[in-house]
């Protein structure tokens, strides 16, 4: 074998141009495949950098009859933790916007509210100090402590090694820093409950246990859990965030790239077949002096592998550049989204495997053809018109077919992307700017908050470049989703065991104009300073279809949480939590109320 390797290197050295073309083409093909594979791996196999075996984590997601995922409350987490044996040590977490710093010097930051076993269940160790313990969340306000993220420690706190033990003012509360999270861990997103399956427990068994637990909670707490079930979902199928959408797109992209690499292998095989004509005399002599046909095949495959493996190295370099470039892409906005891709040993192994497979694929045809050379005829004639071989015609046909399949798949991919981009979500996407403010820690009553909102909107609307402005407690497609509340609609039979529910959003007048959500009937909310009008609600068409039916909806009352609201208008359906979701009933309440 070592002799074959030495001879193969000499043979490759005699065809530097062909070798360079093969290395470059195979390198590009392997590079794009490895880059896509690293993205798939970061999304499905390693969704949480810094957490071992994070691909085995499952989300425990309550699912309302409206089709929305309302998230897990703190009480619900405690009840489910007691009932679920399939998930031995589940964690709870919720992302929250925070104001950090002394009054007048605050900065906006995002943080997580976590259960006491959050760090231990994920197998994390502090980079400095220690992490939160279970006993520190045993009672509300028990231990005013916090852990800062490694990046936050480096960028906002200057990497100060003496940070442990110091205090920070967060949401106007003084908390003590007890540690720094590990460097590669970038935390979870959203509002959910997460756990690992117990040894020997299948996903179906865990789902059955979860169904039983949710039925028990529905019986005990019909007001909040009457029509709520739950799903155990792999982390990459998270209903909030981009994981579920990206997984399908990346799988399709990986398939396209593999087909492209197969076409490259076919093209390389044709190139080597064309060159085989010049080697027939050489191979004929080898056969004449006693070399077996299997030895010829082995020798030529070694040559192919020696060309393919440098191509794999080029591919690894390209993939490393691509993943670094993707991580460097700036994400505009205040929400902490980042591409967590990296080229690890698994990705490098994937590239090496592709190199070996490519070497065998494009080297097999020329090896088989040259191994069948008649040594006497080859020595006499010297060369043969390999360009007219049936194998080259077959390979050419396969290559053209693969190229057409790649082009069609790429066209379908682009069309699917365009269709998704052109899908009407029911609200205006372009030209809408978002900003937020937080009055936490300020002694402002309801009247003062309304006055601040009124003055803020008046100043914004006076800016010539601003067409309209409004305030809302949430926006469509927010990672936390819209809150879900129980309701009772006038004229509809009530069930205390399973009350009706709808998503809610609190908005100011002008919200629907600003968001481009059209009215189907009725009118907008009264002004914020109108003290005479009764509390109002605006509902969407799905709310009317599900809870009112054929009757008149305008003027009906909705009761919720001890308050009564009169329906003042009906707006068109729009996306609330996810693109492609089924129509969901939504109630909009006035900021005035």
């Amino acid at each position: 074998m070592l002799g074959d390797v030495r001879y193969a290197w000499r043979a490759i050295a005699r065809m530097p141009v062909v070798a360079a073309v093969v290395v470059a083409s195979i390198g590009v093909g392997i590079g794009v495949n490895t880059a896509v594979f690293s993205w798939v791996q970061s999304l499905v196999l390693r969704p949480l950098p810094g957490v071992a075996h994070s691909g085995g984590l499952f989300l425990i997601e309550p699912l309302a009859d409206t089709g929305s995922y309302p998230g897990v409350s703190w009480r619900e987490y405690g009840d489910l933790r007691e009932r679920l044996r399939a998930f031995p040590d589940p964690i709870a977490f919720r992302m929250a916007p925070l104001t950090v710093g002394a009054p007048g010097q605050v900065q906006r930051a995002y943080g997580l509210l976590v259960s006491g076993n959050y760090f231990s269940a994920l197998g994390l160790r502090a980079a400095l100090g220690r992490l939160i313990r279970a006993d520190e969340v045993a009672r509300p306000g028990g231990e005013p402590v916090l852990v800062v993220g490694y990046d936050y420690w480096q960028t906002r706190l200057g990497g100060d090694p003496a940070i442990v033990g110091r205090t920070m003012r967060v949401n106007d509360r003084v908390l003590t820093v007890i540690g720094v999270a590990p460097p590669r861990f970038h935390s979870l997103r959203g509002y959910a409950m997460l756990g690992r399956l117990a040894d020997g427990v299948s996903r179906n068994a865990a789902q059955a246990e979860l169904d039983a637990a949710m039925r028990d909670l529905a019986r005990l707490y019909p007001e909040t859990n009457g029509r709520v079930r739950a799903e155990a979902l792999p982390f990459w199928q998270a209903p909030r965030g981009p994981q579920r959408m990206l997984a399908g797109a990346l799988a399709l992209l990986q398939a396209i790239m593999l087909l492209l690499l197969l076409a490259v292998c076919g093209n390389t095989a044709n190139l080597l077949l064309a060159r085989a004509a010049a080697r027939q005399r050489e191979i004929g002599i080898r056969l004449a002096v006693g070399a077996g046909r299997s030895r010829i095949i082995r020798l030529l495959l070694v040559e192919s592998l020696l060309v393919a493996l440098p191509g794999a190295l080029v591919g690894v370099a390209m993939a490393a550049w691509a993943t670094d470039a993707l991580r460097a892409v700036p994400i505009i906005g205040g929400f902490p989204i980042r591409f967590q891709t990296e080229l690890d040993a698994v990705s490098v192994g994937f590239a090496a495997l592709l190199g070996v497979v490519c070497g065998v694929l494009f080297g097999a045809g020329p090896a088989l053809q040259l191994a069948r050379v008649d040594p006497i005829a080859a020595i006499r004639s010297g060369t043969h018109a390999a360009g007219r071989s049936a194998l080259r015609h077959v390979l050419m046909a396969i290559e053209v077919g693969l190229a057409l399949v790649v082009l069609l798949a790429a066209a379908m991919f682009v069309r699917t992307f365009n269709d998704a981009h052109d899908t009407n979500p029911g609200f205006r996407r372009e030209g809408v700017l978002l900003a937020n403010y937080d009055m936490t820690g300020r002694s402002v009553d309801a009247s003062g908050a309304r006055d601040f909102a009124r003055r803020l909107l008046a100043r914004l609307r006076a800016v010539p470049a601003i067409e309209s402005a409004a305030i809302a407690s949430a926006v469509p497609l927010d990672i936390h989703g819209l809150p879900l509340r129980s309701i009772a609609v006038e004229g509809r039979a009530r069930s205390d065991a399973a009350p009706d529910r709808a998503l809610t959003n609190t908005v100011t007048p002008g919200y629907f104009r600003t968001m481009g959500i059209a009215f189907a009937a009725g009118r907008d909310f009264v002004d914020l300073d109108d003290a005479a009008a009764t509390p109002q609600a605006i509902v969407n068409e799905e709310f009317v279809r599900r809870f009112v039916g054929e009757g008149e909806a305008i003027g009906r009352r909705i009761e919720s949480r001890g308050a009564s609201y009169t329906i003042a208008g009906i707006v068109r359906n729009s996306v609330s939590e996810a693109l492609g979701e089924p129509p969901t009933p939504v109630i909009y309440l006035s900021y005035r109320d």
Side-chain angles (χ1 to χ4, degrees), residues 135-484:
D135 61 290
E136 290 173 317
V137 297
R139 60 185 177 85
E143 294 291 339
V145 298
L146 65 86
V147 172
V148 295
Y150 189 89
D151 290 347
Y152 189 92
W153 176 52
Q154 291 290 321
T155 58
R156 300 283 188 93
L157 304 177
D160 184 2
I163 189 65
V164 175
R166 293 186 180 178
T167 59
M168 294 176 60
R169 183 176 291 272
V170 180
N171 281 14
D172 209 33
R173 300 237 2 230
V174 177
L175 306 179
T176 301
V177 178
I178 59 172
V180 177
R184 295 182 64 245
F185 180 64
H186 297 304
S187 79
L188 298 162
R189 301 171 186 159
Y191 182 14
M193 181 174 172
L194 192 69
R196 299 183 190 274
L197 289 176
D199 293 340
V201 177
S202 67
R203 180 183 175 183
N204 289 337
Q207 182 64 56
E209 186 182 54
L210 181 58
D211 291 340
M214 294 303 292
R215 286 194 296 268
D216 189 31
L217 294 182
R219 177 181 58 82
L220 294 174
Y221 310 105
E223 177 69 19
T224 57
N225 288 72
R227 294 185 180 179
V228 179
R229 55 189 182 91
E231 294 180 343
L233 302 172
F235 189 76
W236 63 271
Q237 290 184 352
R240 290 173 293 273
Q243 291 95 328
R244 181 181 292 183
M245 178 182 66
L246 288 178
L250 287 177
L252 177 58
L253 185 60
Q254 184 78 81
I256 294 174
M257 293 299 101
L258 287 172
L259 287 175
L260 178 63
L261 182 59
L262 198 58
V264 170
C265 289
N267 187 50
T268 304
N270 258 322
L271 183 64
L272 295 181
L273 280 172
R275 190 181 178 280
R279 304 191 63 182
Q280 290 197 25
R281 182 179 178 84
E282 167 202 339
I283 300 302
I285 293 174
R286 282 181 165 270
L287 291 171
V289 298
R293 298 190 185 277
S294 60
R295 175 68 187 278
I296 298 299
I297 293 174
R298 190 181 75 182
L299 173 64
L300 296 175
L301 286 179
V302 168
E303 287 185 19
S304 300
L305 289 173
L306 289 180
V307 176
L309 291 179
L313 291 177
V314 172
V316 168
M318 285 189 58
W321 172 82
T323 52
D324 288 343
L326 189 62
R327 285 199 303 269
V329 171
I331 304 301
I332 304 302
F335 190 77
I337 294 177
R338 68 177 69 212
F339 294 103
Q340 299 177 345
T341 60
E342 62 180 11
L343 205 64
D344 60 359
V346 176
S347 299
V348 173
F350 177 76
L353 177 62
L354 287 182
V356 172
V357 171
C358 287
V360 172
L361 285 178
F362 68 70
L368 291 174
Q369 177 171 295
L370 287 173
R372 293 198 302 267
V373 165
D374 182 352
I376 304 301
I379 293 173
R380 287 177 176 174
S381 62
T383 61
H384 181 69
R388 300 190 182 94
S389 70
L391 181 58
R392 290 191 65 193
H393 290 304
V394 171
L395 283 175
M396 183 64 72
I398 293 174
E399 182 184 348
V400 172
L402 286 173
L404 289 174
V405 170
V406 169
L407 288 174
L408 289 173
M412 292 175 61
F413 185 82
V414 171
R415 180 169 181 177
T416 302
F417 179 83
N418 288 333
D419 288 345
H421 182 270
D422 295 338
T423 298
N424 182 13
F427 59 84
R428 181 187 299 168
R429 298 173 298 181
E430 302 298 332
V432 179
L433 304 182
L434 302 180
N436 55 46
Y437 66 89
D438 188 348
M439 304 186 75
T440 302
R442 289 162 175 78
S443 300
V444 179
D445 58 12
S447 175
R450 282 194 296 270
D451 181 64
F452 175 81
R454 182 170 51 250
R455 289 187 290 114
L456 174 62
L457 290 176
R459 292 188 181 189
L460 288 173
R461 290 165 181 167
V463 177
I466 294 179
E467 177 183 318
S468 62
I471 297 172
S473 61
V475 293
L477 303 180
D478 180 67
I479 196 168
H480 290 137
L482 298 180
L484 192 69

Side-chain angles (χ1 to χ4, degrees), residues 12 87 109 466:
I12 293 171
F87 299 96
I466 294 179

